[in-house]
Amino acid sequence: MEALAQEVHEKVIVADGAPETGPQGGVDADNGPAVTGATAKKKKKNKKPAAESAPIESVILQENDASKDPEADGEDEDDDEGDEVAGSAVTSTAAKKKKKKKNNKKKKKTQTEPPTIPISVLFPSKIYPEGELCDYRDDNLWRVTSEEKRALERQNFDQYNDARRAAEVHRQVRQYAQRSIKPGMTMIEICEMIENGTRNLVEAKGFESGIAFPTGCSLNHCAAHYTPNTGDKTVIQYGDVCKIDFGVHVNGTIIDSAFTLTFDPVYDNLLAAVKDATNTGVREAGIDVRLGEIGAAIQEVIESYEVEIGGKTYQVKPIRGLTGHSIERYQIHGEKAVPIVNNGDPTKMEEGEYYAIETFGSTGRGIVRYDMETSHYGRAIDIPKTPIRLPRARALFETINREFGTLAFCRRYLDRLGEDKYLLALKSLCDSGHVSDYPPLVDVKGSFTAQYEHTFVLRPTRKEVLSRGDDY
Ligand SMILES: [Co+2]
């Protein structure tokens, strides 16, 4: 999710702290210096993520009749390999037969279609799979073997494990979405598919686990912050470019990851540009790396692509106002913004930080403005001291605080809580600074925008790309 500022906290309704200093929300203001002459070394290609389209094993099921088998073991695959090695090679055929039998009896615990089985059931050990591990470079490579850093990591295990659980939910839900979203579905159906999948797999429960922010499904020239409000009849079309951007949290540790969904292959190069750019940003990131340098690397990659649509060729442009961001607990948008152009920001990434790197490419101007009806909101991190006068607004604020704390929400999330006719109250909370609104961000009409996004953590010894999957 792009540019939303939130903070922790469940119960606190107290008015504490100063009014929020402009959330880097919405448009991350201007990212400073222009897109000056990106040095044109084409790097391209050689960094294709492995196994582009292999479906992740735990999601593939059916024949296993997973839904009726909450007892089976989700990690059988590994066990089998162990058996194979242990057993004698000579008897391998017999062994295989036996194993097969055993497997059938035991049955694998696998996900249903649509996904309904909680990740904690699929991983009875409650230890969730690590993301992609990347060693730091050069001056920081020593970290991987440092006893001190490794000890520090062991202390952080629980939070990593929470993040990995959220990431596994994200992968399973998004891969189901990739398989099943088809032209003709309404945007509301798409969002509910993703949101219900998330709630089920993460076992949504108050602030312990759940949806981290509204499901973005911005279309075409709209780059970010669109999700349908109740009554929205928009239907996804064959020619649409849809950015699916959703978030999962466990104990406030958020996975923020997005991909672009298209049906027409004419957009393939646009998507390739942005996928490559996001992977570049993720690869360049590390402890002590400057944010501006990451932006420069991203910009160079995006601009090295062209896409031909309707007989016209476009050089893909980065959308300069949109950025990646650091992530804090219960707060999707931390202090630091990761630009997607070279803005010269000398701020460094630091040990222990969580980041979402997201990049946006456009066939339009590469500049966004606000447009259309607002759906996304978030409580101010620092609640203004000024009292809320309107009783209706005060009540709504209590609901927001109780249900979402500093996690972003949308109108549909209020609707499902039974809130009704709240728009005036919500508007007054925005005016008083208790809540921020995040209207959709659009490039010029007729243009197409794409996005990919990953969440990683700068662990003391290595970088872990938590949201990495076989899909992207
Ligand atoms: Co984001």
Side-chain angles (χ1 to χ4, degrees):
M1 169 177 209
E2 195 283 329
L4 276 183
Q6 313 295 314
E7 205 227 323
V8 209
H9 280 346
E10 16 251 80
K11 23 221 155 178
V12 222
I13 295 203
V14 285
D16 56 344
E20 170 158 25
T21 41
Q24 304 92 321
V27 189
D28 251 318
D30 188 278
N31 275 328
V35 189
T36 35
T39 38
K41 272 176 284 163
K42 306 243 158 180
K43 300 194 208 165
K44 289 248 182 154
K45 300 296 117 115
N46 37 345
K47 46 250 164 159
K48 250 194 168 171
E52 287 269 14
S53 57
I56 176 159
E57 74 185 75
S58 43
V59 214
I60 302 304
L61 34 130
Q62 278 128 345
E63 62 261 41
N64 286 325
D65 193 15
S67 48
K68 292 176 200 151
D69 185 28
E71 244 18 74
D73 180 354
E75 282 157 333
D76 266 2
E77 217 77 285
D78 297 324
D79 296 348
D80 289 357
E81 261 162 54
D83 293 353
E84 203 99 66
V85 175
S88 126
V90 187
T91 58
S92 76
T93 327
K96 245 176 209 160
K97 246 181 207 160
K98 204 174 135 202
K99 204 158 5 112
K100 200 154 205 181
K101 228 177 186 174
K102 185 182 81 186
N103 264 357
N104 284 348
K105 218 185 278 167
K106 203 174 161 198
K107 271 188 191 164
K108 272 187 71 157
K109 189 178 311 165
T110 40
Q111 192 50 272
T112 57
E113 184 96 352
T116 56
I117 301 182
I119 298 303
S120 74
V121 175
L122 296 179
F123 292 87
S125 66
K126 306 283 187 273
I127 296 182
Y128 304 100
E130 283 185 310
E132 176 193 29
L133 299 176
C134 314
D135 286 349
Y136 293 122
R137 290 181 192 168
D138 316 324
D139 288 354
N140 273 317
L141 185 55
W142 60 273
R143 290 170 167 273
V144 71
T145 49
S146 159
E147 224 8 88
E148 182 198 332
K149 295 301 178 192
R150 291 162 71 147
L152 193 53
E153 269 185 7
R154 285 193 289 274
Q155 289 172 20
N156 293 335
F157 177 80
D158 288 350
Q159 194 183 1
Y160 302 149
N161 202 41
D162 285 348
R164 290 169 192 153
R165 179 173 155 210
E168 186 59 25
V169 171
H170 199 286
R171 278 188 289 273
Q172 294 200 14
V173 170
R174 81 193 186 210
Q175 290 175 8
Y176 171 66
Q178 289 161 13
R179 288 191 294 276
S180 27
I181 297 174
K182 294 283 171 337
M185 288 175 69
T186 66
M187 304 316 290
I188 288 186
E189 286 168 340
I190 292 170
C191 289
E192 288 182 345
M193 166 196 293
I194 291 167
E195 289 157 6
N196 291 335
T198 299
R199 289 191 184 103
N200 285 332
L201 269 53
V202 81
E203 299 160 271
K205 187 183 172 205
F207 289 98
E208 284 175 27
S209 57
I211 291 172
F213 53 78
T215 307
C217 52
S218 306
L219 292 169
N220 304 325
H221 73 298
C222 178
H225 293 176
Y226 164 76
T227 197
N229 289 328
T230 300
D232 186 328
K233 300 275 197 305
T234 308
V235 166
I236 196 165
Q237 309 289 327
Y238 175 77
D240 282 344
V241 179
C242 179
K243 280 71 65 185
I244 301 285
D245 187 349
F246 69 103
V248 186
H249 83 87
V250 173
N251 291 315
T253 300
I254 298 172
I255 294 296
D256 177 2
S257 178
F259 61 94
T260 299
L261 185 72
T262 55
F263 308 103
D264 188 338
V266 75
Y267 304 112
D268 284 357
N269 269 358
L270 175 62
L271 270 56
V274 184
K275 192 188 263 194
D276 191 358
T278 293
N279 281 328
T280 299
V282 169
R283 194 180 333 109
E284 294 299 313
I287 294 170
D288 300 331
V289 176
R290 295 182 195 280
L291 300 174
E293 287 169 12
I294 297 173
I298 288 170
Q299 176 173 19
E300 188 180 305
V301 168
I302 292 192
E303 291 176 347
S304 72
Y305 282 82
E306 289 181 338
V307 55
E308 191 189 320
I309 300 169
K312 199 176 164 208
T313 300
Y314 304 84
Q315 184 188 22
V316 182
K317 291 179 183 160
I319 301 180
R320 11 177 335 122
L322 304 184
T323 66
H325 48 94
S326 57
I327 302 175
E328 308 284 344
R329 287 189 74 204
Y330 296 102
Q331 185 182 344
I332 185 60
H333 231 237
E335 295 273 289
K336 296 183 183 176
V338 186
I340 63 174
V341 294
N342 181 8
N343 72 348
D345 186 346
T347 310
K348 288 178 175 175
M349 290 185 163
E350 295 170 79
E351 178 180 300
E353 289 177 327
Y354 286 74
Y355 279 93
I357 292 248
E358 54 191 306
T359 76
F360 293 82
S362 177
T363 62
R365 295 174 61 208
I367 296 169
V368 283
R369 61 183 173 84
Y370 295 129
D371 192 29
M372 311 192 297
E373 189 174 85
T374 299
S375 55
H376 287 45
Y377 301 85
R379 202 208 78 189
I381 303 301
D382 299 310
I383 302 170
K385 290 199 169 98
T386 51
I388 303 168
R389 293 240 158 75
L390 252 78
R392 188 72 184 80
R394 203 157 50 230
L396 180 64
F397 188 69
E398 275 172 30
T399 300
I400 289 170
N401 211 29
R402 184 185 66 238
E403 297 290 334
F404 311 114
T406 53
L407 295 170
F409 61 94
C410 60
R411 291 192 198 172
R412 283 185 296 105
Y413 297 177
L414 287 172
D415 299 337
R416 66 188 288 281
L417 293 172
E419 290 291 324
D420 191 19
K421 305 197 173 76
Y422 51 76
L423 282 180
L424 224 63
L426 189 53
K427 167 92 166 50
S428 102
L429 291 173
C430 291
D431 291 344
S432 66
H434 289 77
V435 171
S436 300
D437 59 344
Y438 303 95
L441 294 159
V442 307
D443 201 326
V444 289
K445 249 208 162 100
S447 65
F448 296 98
T449 63
Q451 172 199 22
Y452 279 88
E453 177 173 22
H454 272 302
T455 294
F456 60 83
V457 55
L458 298 175
R459 281 168 42 184
T461 66
R462 288 185 284 196
K463 171 171 62 188
E464 179 173 347
V465 188
L466 295 156
S467 54
R468 178 71 73 198
D470 295 334
D471 49 351
Y472 68 87

